[in-house]
Amino acid sequence: MKIAVINSGSSSIKFQLFYMPGAKVLANVLVEKIGEGSSQITFKYDDKKNIISAVIKDHHEGLKKIISLLRELSILKELSVVDAIGHRVVHGGEKFHSAVLINEDVIKEIENLIPLAPLHNAANLEGILVARKKAPLVKQIAVFDTAFHFHMPKEAYLYALPYEMYEKHKIRRYGFHGTSHAFVLKQTALELKKDVKELNIITLHLGNGASACAIEKGISIDTSMGFTPLEGLVMGTRSGDVDPAILIYMQRVLGLSVDEVDAVLNKKSGLLGICGENDVRTIIDSDDEKAKLALNIMIRRIKKYIGSYMALLGSVDAIVFSGGIGENSSYIREKVLENLPCGIKMDKFANEANATFISNPKSEIKFLVIKTDEELEIAQECLKFIKS
Ligand code: ADP
């Protein structure tokens, strides 16, 4: 059967077509710069890759273009012939603890959650509406980034703010990257030949956006991203944790507007803010002092989260790296794991080879590198709805 996965961003659509079971990727299309004059379309199929330009004024045209490309390549006649369409939805709030079949009520709820994730949920919803128009009879499923963290205990998700901030305004930790952490957990269980419910692990999703997750017996009990995807680790352009009083200072003393503070924290901070560059490959290769400093700040923050999650979990079966940095940078992994307590050691050769197991075979805690695949996780969630 064929399952389409749509990840609709504010100016982009990522589209993947899977043949399931077996998870064969039939096509992978990325439409970027929607509504910005000339859009770029990258499509991959059968080990081939093509990039073309086109004028795509909105998401409706974007999806139409994707389908016409797939038709020309004889990969898919119409969107309406797929067995299910899975949509990435960033924010599920306190409502959605698992993937759901999309109906009018779900659409309303996703819309209600827009204030909590203005850029993301609005764009995700746009993708859903466009796909429903194109394929009204196909089952469409919403898979939420927050859902995996739904069962965090209250002491993990509540901030020490006046309680009414939570009760009235829903200000709490939600956590993100849940689809990735869930996928990595399942793969780790396969590698360790254990049931997910037996596993205590720390997962590190280290990409441009980055988050850590403490998983106890298969359940997320804490995660570094919070009310928004800004909290926690140092990211490409996001600051991660800062003293909240700095934001007040920026406004009161430096005279920055709310929007300017927002831009500083989300777009001008992190690695970019410290050394002027956010691509970790370039930063690692640089001799610049600030580049070294940026990496050290990022690495130190990851170590602090690992330490605190080890303290929370008590016993840890594995520490797992994923995301562009986690999967590819032996240097970052080595530095992150340096000096861990209890004689836990890494296997340098395995690490340099980006092997799946990078811990010394004698190490009680295993270190793993797992390639995450959020789209495949979404497709697998869809399968549950087709079978039932
Ligand atoms: P996104 O969060 O946008 O999905 P990715 O998971 O693709 O991001 O990760 C992007 C990051 O991965 C970039 O900082 C990039 O420099 C880094 N990266 C990719 N390959 C390597 C590598 N071989 N060594 C170090 N960093 C890498």
Side-chain angles (χ1 to χ4, degrees):
M1 65 188 78
K2 286 177 178 161
I3 297 183
V5 173
I6 296 178
N7 181 349
S8 169
S10 51
S11 62
S12 69
I13 303 176
K14 284 185 196 160
F15 180 98
Q16 266 197 49
L17 185 66
F18 288 93
Y19 188 80
M20 303 288 273
K24 183 174 165 40
V25 179
L26 301 175
N28 183 333
V29 189
L30 170 64
V31 184
E32 292 171 287
K33 300 188 181 170
I34 293 175
E36 291 177 24
S38 177
S39 307
Q40 181 170 300
I41 306 169
T42 311
F43 55 106
K44 297 181 200 158
Y45 61 100
D46 282 349
D47 295 330
K48 297 186 191 79
K49 180 175 166 179
N50 280 315
I51 301 178
I52 57 169
S53 297
V55 179
I56 306 281
K57 75 170 194 299
D58 56 25
H59 286 70
H60 185 81
E61 276 197 4
L63 196 57
K64 214 165 109 185
K65 183 74 190 170
I66 292 171
I67 307 303
S68 77
L69 275 173
L70 297 183
R71 194 182 299 122
E72 279 165 31
L73 296 166
S74 306
I75 296 173
L76 191 74
K77 257 206 272 169
E78 284 298 336
L79 191 59
S80 54
V81 304
V82 301
D83 297 273
I85 303 170
H87 293 270
R88 176 188 183 212
V89 180
V90 165
H91 218 305
E94 290 200 306
K95 176 86 184 167
F96 299 110
H97 52 87
S98 60
V100 291
L101 200 59
I102 297 172
N103 57 26
E104 293 304 324
D105 290 344
V106 170
I107 288 178
K108 199 94 229 104
E109 279 298 335
I110 294 172
E111 204 174 357
N112 290 342
L113 289 165
I114 287 178
L116 291 181
L119 292 179
H120 289 111
N121 267 37
N124 302 154
L125 188 58
E126 182 69 18
I128 291 173
L129 297 177
V130 168
R132 268 167 60 100
K133 247 192 208 149
K134 288 230 148 274
L137 300 178
V138 176
K139 282 185 178 173
Q140 309 219 9
I141 290 106
V143 181
F144 301 92
D145 275 18
T146 47
F148 182 62
H149 306 295
F150 186 86
H151 298 287
M152 275 189 292
K154 208 162 191 173
E155 58 266 32
Y157 72 69
L158 266 199
Y159 292 106
L161 293 168
Y163 200 77
E164 65 174 29
M165 291 291 172
Y166 166 59
E167 276 187 319
K168 278 198 195 150
H169 306 294
K170 299 286 170 226
I171 296 177
R172 51 159 284 182
R173 175 182 311 286
Y174 290 98
F176 298 88
H177 281 153
T179 314
S180 172
H181 291 295
F183 180 85
V184 169
L185 166 67
K186 283 190 239 167
Q187 293 303 309
T188 304
L190 286 177
E191 293 293 344
L192 296 178
K193 300 186 175 56
K194 286 193 173 175
D195 192 287
V196 290
K197 293 197 190 90
E198 291 175 62
L199 282 184
N200 280 9
I201 64 172
I202 297 169
T203 47
L204 301 165
H205 177 109
L206 307 177
N208 244 324
S211 69
C213 185
I215 300 175
E216 186 176 49
K217 298 195 188 327
I219 288 172
S220 164
I221 59 148
D222 216 326
T223 189
S224 57
M225 284 180 168
F227 179 61
T228 73
L230 178 58
E231 193 183 346
L233 304 179
V234 174
M235 306 179 221
T237 64
R238 286 174 247 169
S239 64
D241 299 335
V242 292
D243 179 345
I246 295 170
L247 322 189
I248 302 166
Y249 187 89
M250 283 181 183
Q251 291 174 75
R252 196 179 276 157
V253 180
L254 306 184
L256 268 61
S257 69
V258 173
D259 285 345
E260 284 166 341
V261 172
D262 188 353
V264 166
L265 295 174
N266 276 298
K267 300 196 178 129
K268 299 180 183 170
S269 293
L271 299 172
L272 180 81
I274 296 160
C275 70
E277 172 62 58
N278 64 330
D279 190 316
V280 168
R281 283 165 292 203
T282 314
I283 301 176
I284 288 176
D285 289 342
S286 165
D287 290 329
D288 181 47
E289 278 308 308
K290 282 190 179 154
K292 289 200 179 71
L293 180 63
L295 284 185
N296 288 342
I297 295 172
M298 180 182 82
I299 290 162
R300 190 181 185 88
R301 183 81 51 85
I302 301 169
K303 286 173 88 78
K304 282 165 88 167
Y305 270 92
I306 292 177
S308 65
Y309 288 171
M310 286 177 99
L312 276 179
L313 290 168
S315 80
V316 175
D317 298 298
I319 298 173
V320 192
F321 291 84
S322 69
I325 302 165
E327 289 159 25
N328 297 301
S329 178
S330 55
Y331 173 80
I332 299 288
R333 291 191 301 257
E334 184 177 340
K335 292 291 166 199
V336 163
L337 295 172
E338 215 170 54
N339 297 329
L340 278 189
C342 336
I344 314 166
K345 290 261 180 309
M346 91 172 332
D347 177 332
K348 280 199 172 213
F349 293 110
N351 186 41
E352 269 154 35
N354 288 331
T356 303
F357 283 91
I358 56 166
S359 46
N360 184 305
K362 287 188 194 137
S363 175
E364 265 185 40
I365 300 184
K366 308 292 179 211
F367 305 146
L368 283 88
V369 178
I370 300 279
K371 187 170 168 23
T372 193
D373 193 336
E374 286 156 294
E375 281 74 22
L376 177 55
E377 177 67 15
I378 293 174
Q380 280 166 347
E381 286 293 310
C382 289
L383 271 187
K384 295 179 188 166
F385 292 83
I386 299 176
K387 283 176 182 163
S388 60

